[in-house]
């Protein structure tokens, strides 16, 4: 097998480093210098949209842990809100009160197309869609 070179880097500053990883988001091969996050099975290149996704995911895991903790105590997933959440977010599966869950049309990616589907969604999941829609 030939040694592939790094596919990350500016249009006018092609990187000639030897590719060591494949980005899990954009699929580009990248060198150690263009690594944003590499650990275990994860490999993320330093392109901005990929780095943003990685940060968002870490942040979202933190959010879900908080929601789960509150749900286990019988509270709505939003900090400072009250008991008896009766609605489930279609995306993160957290439980929320009626005030903290909204009915919306959410753009799901289906291959090359984007299809809007109705969902019940918490504010945090709704905010994430911009990051994940951008290819
Ligand atoms: Zn990437
Ligand atoms: Zn590189
Ligand atoms: Zn959610
Ligand atoms: Zn609430």
């Amino acid at each position: 097998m030939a040694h592939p070179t790094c596919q990350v880097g500016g249009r006018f500053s092609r990187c000639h480093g030897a590719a060591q990883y494949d980005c899990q988001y954009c699929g580009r091969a990248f060198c150690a210098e263009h690594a944003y996050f590499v650990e275990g099975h994860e490999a993320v290149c330093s392109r901005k949209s990929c780095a943003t996704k990685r940060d968002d995911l870490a942040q979202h895991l933190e959010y879900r842990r908080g929601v789960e903790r509150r749900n286990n105590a019988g509270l709505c997933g939003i900090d400072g809100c009250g008991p008896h959440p009766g609605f489930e977010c279609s995306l993160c599966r957290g439980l929320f009160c009626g005030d903290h869950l909204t009915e919306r049309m959410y753009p799901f990616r289906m291959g090359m197309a984007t299809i809007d589907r109705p969902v019940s969604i918490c504010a945090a999941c709704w905010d994430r869609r911009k990051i994940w829609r951008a290819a």
Side-chain angles (χ1 to χ4, degrees):
M1 202 173 108
H3 290 290
T5 49
C6 177
Q7 298 171 328
V8 175
R11 196 179 309 175
F12 303 108
S13 56
R14 266 210 68 165
C15 177
H16 295 286
Q20 294 184 30
Y21 316 96
D22 289 313
C23 177
Q24 68 194 59
Y25 296 127
C26 69
R28 287 173 172 80
F30 62 92
C31 70
E33 208 168 309
H34 281 115
Y36 179 71
F37 181 86
V38 174
E39 195 183 287
H41 295 295
E42 285 196 77
V44 182
C45 77
S46 62
R47 294 172 71 236
K48 193 166 178 294
S49 66
C50 297
T52 303
K53 282 177 178 154
R54 163 67 210 172
D55 284 349
D56 173 73
L57 206 65
Q59 209 176 39
H60 194 65
L61 286 175
E62 191 62 35
Y63 170 76
R64 282 171 64 170
R65 267 197 292 274
V67 169
E68 202 182 322
R69 210 164 33 235
R70 292 183 56 81
N71 284 169
N72 286 339
L75 300 167
C76 162
I78 301 299
D79 260 338
C81 194
H84 310 308
F87 304 92
E88 187 186 76
C89 173
S90 304
L91 271 74
C92 70
R93 301 290 169 198
L95 297 175
F96 301 89
C97 68
D99 287 346
H100 282 126
L101 215 61
T102 315
E103 299 287 329
R104 294 182 190 273
M105 294 300 283
Y106 188 89
F108 288 96
R109 266 182 103 95
M110 304 287 285
M112 301 302 282
T114 301
I115 295 171
D116 286 338
R117 291 230 180 98
V119 291
S120 297
I121 191 169
C122 71
C125 288
W126 180 244
D127 282 345
R128 300 178 76 213
R129 78 195 181 286
K130 295 182 210 107
I131 294 170
W132 294 88
R133 271 193 81 176

